[in-house]
Amino acid sequence: MKLSAVYALPGRARFEYVLRGELEEILEFMAELGYDGVEYNIPDPFKLDFDRLSDTTEAYGLRVSAISTGLAYLEYGLSLTHPDRDVRDKAVEFMAKYIELASAHKSGVVVGLIRGKRGGRSVEEARRLLVDSLKRLRDPCERHGVNLLLEPLNRYETDLVNKVSEALSIIGETGDWVKLLFDTFHMGIEERSLYDAILHAGPSIGHVHVAENNRLPPGMGSIDWEKTVFRLLRVGYRGYLSLEAMPEPSLKEALKQTADTLKPLVTSL
Ligand code: LER
Ligand code: MN
């Protein structure tokens, strides 16, 4: 398993659980601590020199672990299940561009907040729109050798796909080019047991976000990380553990705390 952290590219939307700041200083510090990758949360994939970002990342010996898309939802209100067809089309267009960018490092593209909310609609209706939009992305994914990463989120952030079982049922309809993104913070809220949920998700897990039960960095809450990593290994997961937590008490301490907690586990287990 490898270590990564989510960095947000500049934008207006508030999203607190990411690294922000001078990119090269952060990459240098991550490389020193033994991180392997960086996950970029990108508000607008059309307004970005991704080749330059990718070169800068590689210059520090790091890979792009995943591309996350929540800022396109928060900043522009784009969602794959929006009631307005034009907004859904725009969201699909953004996703196709993220997929193209992700092809450089064969990283996955996150379907987190950008799936949208059910609002007043029935589960069936919102779910059908989600499956339709995901299926429209099958072709770009296959062409670029990229997976989508469907992330169950806790009930306070969305009312559409909160649990592992719901994500697995969507994946059952789309095909396994859609993988499951297991976020330890969200699953600690929604699942009876975070650890058993890993076994339930099994080989569908394509990416992991790590944060404590209180959304602080690993080691500052009550999750048993040895058990978490052991269960992930047991289901054959060999990908990234990507920090998506409040950068407290400071960004650097959060990165160090996470590396101190997880690095010994991923290298010894
Ligand atoms: C949001 O809470 C989250 O976990 C993100 O990964 C979703 O885009
Ligand atoms: Mn997450």
Side-chain angles (χ1 to χ4, degrees):
M1 255 176 264
K2 295 166 279 188
L3 216 52
S4 155
V6 185
Y7 175 91
L9 280 112
R12 282 167 294 136
R14 258 182 80 150
F15 187 60
E16 322 250 339
Y17 317 108
V18 284
L19 310 175
R20 290 182 193 270
E22 216 279 299
L23 179 64
E24 296 214 26
E25 192 187 329
I26 294 174
L27 295 180
E28 188 178 0
F29 190 64
M30 287 176 70
E32 269 170 34
L33 291 173
Y35 279 77
D36 306 282
V38 199
E39 175 174 339
Y40 288 112
N41 199 321
I42 302 172
D44 186 338
F46 294 99
K47 286 194 200 143
L48 170 75
D49 184 348
F50 188 78
D51 287 342
R52 198 164 140 223
L53 182 65
S54 173
D55 287 350
T56 308
T57 308
E58 284 176 15
Y60 289 92
L62 297 163
R63 302 278 299 163
V64 179
S65 60
I67 291 186
S68 44
T69 56
L71 288 171
Y73 170 78
L74 293 170
E75 189 140 346
Y76 306 109
L78 297 182
S79 108
L80 296 171
T81 58
H82 200 283
D84 182 338
R85 168 95 205 188
D86 290 344
V87 180
R88 286 204 304 280
D89 286 352
K90 186 93 190 143
V92 168
E93 206 183 294
F94 262 51
M95 288 298 291
K97 186 67 181 174
Y98 287 123
I99 291 164
E100 184 193 317
L101 302 184
S103 68
H105 288 225
K106 296 282 174 268
S107 28
V109 175
V110 178
V111 181
L113 293 168
I114 202 160
R115 70 157 82 21
K117 293 184 184 169
R118 182 156 65 82
R121 297 171 293 176
S122 66
V123 185
E124 293 71 29
E125 187 185 346
R127 203 177 169 284
R128 183 181 54 75
L129 290 177
L130 179 57
V131 169
D132 283 355
S133 291
L134 293 176
K135 283 185 174 168
R136 288 170 70 188
L137 294 164
R138 181 181 193 136
D139 186 53
C141 275
E142 289 184 346
R143 205 157 6 98
H144 292 291
V146 164
N147 290 320
L148 293 184
L149 303 166
L150 179 60
E151 179 180 23
L153 297 175
N154 80 69
R155 66 193 72 180
Y156 307 106
E157 297 193 25
T158 184
D159 49 8
L160 181 61
V161 191
N162 303 116
K163 288 188 158 69
V164 164
S165 57
E166 293 164 291
L168 291 180
S169 124
I170 303 260
I171 292 169
E173 280 189 49
T174 55
D176 69 0
W177 52 279
V178 180
K179 301 277 177 212
L180 188 143
L181 195 171
F182 194 98
D183 184 315
T184 56
F185 167 72
H186 295 299
M187 295 304 87
I189 295 172
E190 290 298 332
E191 297 288 343
R192 284 170 68 169
S193 154
L194 164 68
Y195 316 106
D196 291 348
I198 294 173
L199 301 183
H200 183 197
S204 291
I205 300 179
H207 194 59
V208 174
H209 281 165
V210 288
E212 285 283 2
N213 54 299
N214 47 23
R215 231 172 185 182
L216 288 169
M220 298 176 75
S222 57
I223 291 181
D224 179 339
W225 291 101
E226 187 173 327
K227 191 164 176 177
T228 302
V229 170
F230 191 75
R231 292 260 164 129
L232 286 166
L233 283 171
R234 199 164 129 192
V235 300
Y237 183 70
R238 298 290 182 274
Y240 288 93
L241 302 177
S242 195
L243 173 68
E244 189 187 51
M246 285 190 280
E248 289 182 14
S250 70
L251 182 148
K252 288 196 170 174
E253 283 170 280
L255 282 168
K256 183 162 183 331
Q257 171 70 49
T258 303
D260 287 348
T261 306
L262 298 180
K263 200 78 191 162
L265 293 175
V266 295
T267 42
S268 75
L269 280 178

